[in-house]
Structure formats: structure tokens, C-alpha cells
Amino acid sequence: MNDNDKVRLDKWLWAARFFKTRSLATEAIEGGHVHLNGDKVKPARTVKIGDMLRILATHGEFEVEVVALADKRGPAEVARTLYAETPESAEKRARAAEEKALAPRFEHPDVRGRPTKKWRRQLHFFERNNS
């Protein structure tokens, strides 16, 4: 096996665009959010073609097979050729996105942080009238 057949896991995750920076990829691996062939691993672990990864990122949970290796970050089109997502994983992510879109949202668009004096008065008025 020569050096072209081995890439560090954190570099590969960064090159495949699962994480924006290599340090975020390292933190995810150390936090147990990345599993290589079902095992928790360290960032320096080498990745080979054919390895299966389970990645829990902020934008979803992925189960992918390593198809190609890269240690440099390139365009998104090239990054998508580095892995093949399993059909179950794609279906699961689509289902989760649909559930999130259908879930009720309880956020008021004008409310951020602490309530303003006006908003607090309206809340108190509402509470007094409904109790």
C-alpha cells in the first residue's frame, strides 16, 4: 500500500465537504459523531476505498461508502464523487427534512432574546385577561 492509498479521516471528511473546516471534522470525530466501519476512531485513522462511514453532522446523519480518496478540498462536484450515500441514509434524511418542515414552529418573528418593554406589557395584559 503506497501513500496515495491512505488519507487521514479528518482530511477526507473536510475534502468531502461534510465539515467546513478540518478542525470541525476533528472535533466531530473526537466527540464520537463519526464511526468508521462501526467503530469509534481517532482523527489520524486512515481511510481506504470501500470503508463505510456513519457521520452525524449539523446538516444531517449520513451513512456513506468511501469511493475515492482526496486530501485537498476541491469543488462541491468533485467532493460528491468521493462517496456514495446508501439509499437508506438518503431516505432517512429526506424523511427527517419532511418532518422538520411539517413540524409546528412556535417562534414569533419579532421576538429575539429578551422581550422588549412593549412586548412584556402585552404579555402581562394577556395574562391578566385570561386568568
Side-chain angles (χ1 to χ4, degrees):
M1 187 181 270
N2 58 18
D3 289 339
N4 296 336
D5 295 341
K6 297 187 289 186
V7 176
R8 285 175 55 113
L9 179 59
D10 58 346
K11 278 189 177 184
W12 187 87
L13 289 170
W14 170 70
R17 293 182 172 258
F18 284 104
F19 298 98
K20 193 169 185 175
T21 64
R22 197 168 146 202
S23 60
L24 287 175
T26 301
E27 288 175 13
I29 296 167
E30 289 174 346
H33 299 293
V34 178
H35 293 231
L36 177 68
N37 296 326
D39 299 327
K40 286 185 180 181
V41 291
K42 293 185 178 180
R45 177 79 177 262
T46 57
V47 179
K48 301 180 300 269
I49 294 175
D51 283 344
M52 292 298 293
L53 292 168
R54 188 172 66 79
I55 305 159
L56 180 62
T58 56
H59 52 279
E61 184 174 347
F62 300 85
E63 289 183 25
V64 298
E65 179 183 0
V66 178
V67 177
L69 300 176
D71 61 351
K72 299 210 180 344
R73 193 171 171 108
E77 297 82 31
V78 174
R80 278 192 290 272
T81 63
L82 297 178
Y83 60 90
E85 187 175 8
T86 62
E88 298 86 21
S89 172
E91 181 182 327
K92 189 175 175 183
R93 282 190 316 106
R95 205 173 331 116
E98 183 179 335
E99 288 174 6
K100 184 178 178 182
L102 294 175
R105 295 179 61 185
F106 300 105
E107 302 168 349
H108 193 279
D110 295 335
V111 178
R112 290 184 197 95
R114 290 179 55 162
T116 63
K117 192 171 186 177
K118 180 180 179 182
W119 184 255
R120 198 170 341 115
R121 284 185 190 136
Q122 290 173 345
L123 285 172
H124 289 306
F125 179 76
F126 179 76
E127 288 172 355
R128 273 184 261 134
N129 289 341
N130 290 332
S131 31

